[in-house]
Amino acid sequence: MSNTESPVQTALFGQPATRELHRLFFALMPDAAKRHDINHAAALVQQQHPGLRARWVKPERFHATLNFLGDFPVVPDEVVEKAMIAAGALHAAPFTWTLDYVASFRGREPPCVLRSTQVPELLLTLWRDLHAALVRAGLKLRAERQFTPHVTLAYGRQELPEAVPVAPIVWEVDRFVLIHNVVGKGKYRMLGSWELA
């Protein structure tokens, strides 16, 4: 079955049987101290906007997506292998990323996200170079014209009326990871981790 087919099939008696969707993506994952700081920022938004109805992300799931590889009906070993080879061949420098405000993206469930006033050029370089390495490795990725680095805090029923400044969270980014997740279930599973040096 290709990854473009529907994840839903018809079971006995015509009832839909939902299949698992396996999501693969590269990300930046904060350590415990940064997760605490990010969670504090989320709590500040909840305090300042008590009427904001939202599904809040658990701290262990905080991350910043770099490159999305896709959703699959089963874990595609060939995709994982190519992705890991591409990541292992990448040379990228560590950088400091300062997150300092919370805002909403537009959408059906507008995400409430933690962002930065200044995006480090080395973060943009990492995103571009990793995408290029994945394509060279033979992976077919959708073309991303724009990259807006962020950490999702919640999925809301409405957008925040305005950006919310927070105490700057200074994140020393020294690695990126490959994550596998069964959509809507369980914890993230780290398939690989690569140091920036």
Side-chain angles (χ1 to χ4, degrees), residues 34-57:
K34 288 295 166 279
R35 283 198 302 272
H36 178 270
D37 293 343
I38 294 168
N39 199 45
H40 183 74
L44 176 68
V45 173
Q46 292 179 66
Q47 183 180 25
Q48 291 186 1
H49 296 274
L52 182 67
R53 293 190 300 156
R55 291 185 296 113
W56 294 90
V57 175

Side-chain angles (χ1 to χ4, degrees), residues 19 30 34 54 57 68-69 78-79 87 105 107 119 134 144-145 152 156 160 166 173 181 186-187 189:
R19 289 185 180 168
K34 288 295 166 279
V57 175
F68 182 71
L69 301 183
E78 184 180 2
V79 171
F105 286 152
V119 176
L134 293 166
E144 300 285 355
R145 298 183 179 213
T152 299
L160 286 170
V166 297
V173 180
N181 174 239
K187 295 181 179 179
R189 184 164 68 100

Side-chain angles (χ1 to χ4, degrees), residues 61-121:
R61 294 174 72 92
F62 289 150
H63 69 277
T65 299
L66 282 173
N67 301 81
F68 182 71
L69 301 183
D71 290 336
F72 307 88
V74 295
V75 178
D77 291 339
E78 184 180 2
V79 171
V80 172
E81 183 179 351
K82 288 180 178 180
M84 294 183 78
I85 289 171
L90 189 69
H91 297 286
F95 55 89
T96 301
W97 184 21
T98 302
L99 299 150
D100 54 9
Y101 75 98
V102 176
S104 290
F105 286 152
R106 292 182 177 172
R108 187 171 58 85
E109 279 190 299
C112 179
V113 299
L114 182 60
R115 296 181 59 184
S116 53
T117 304
Q118 296 290 327
V119 176
E121 186 59 38

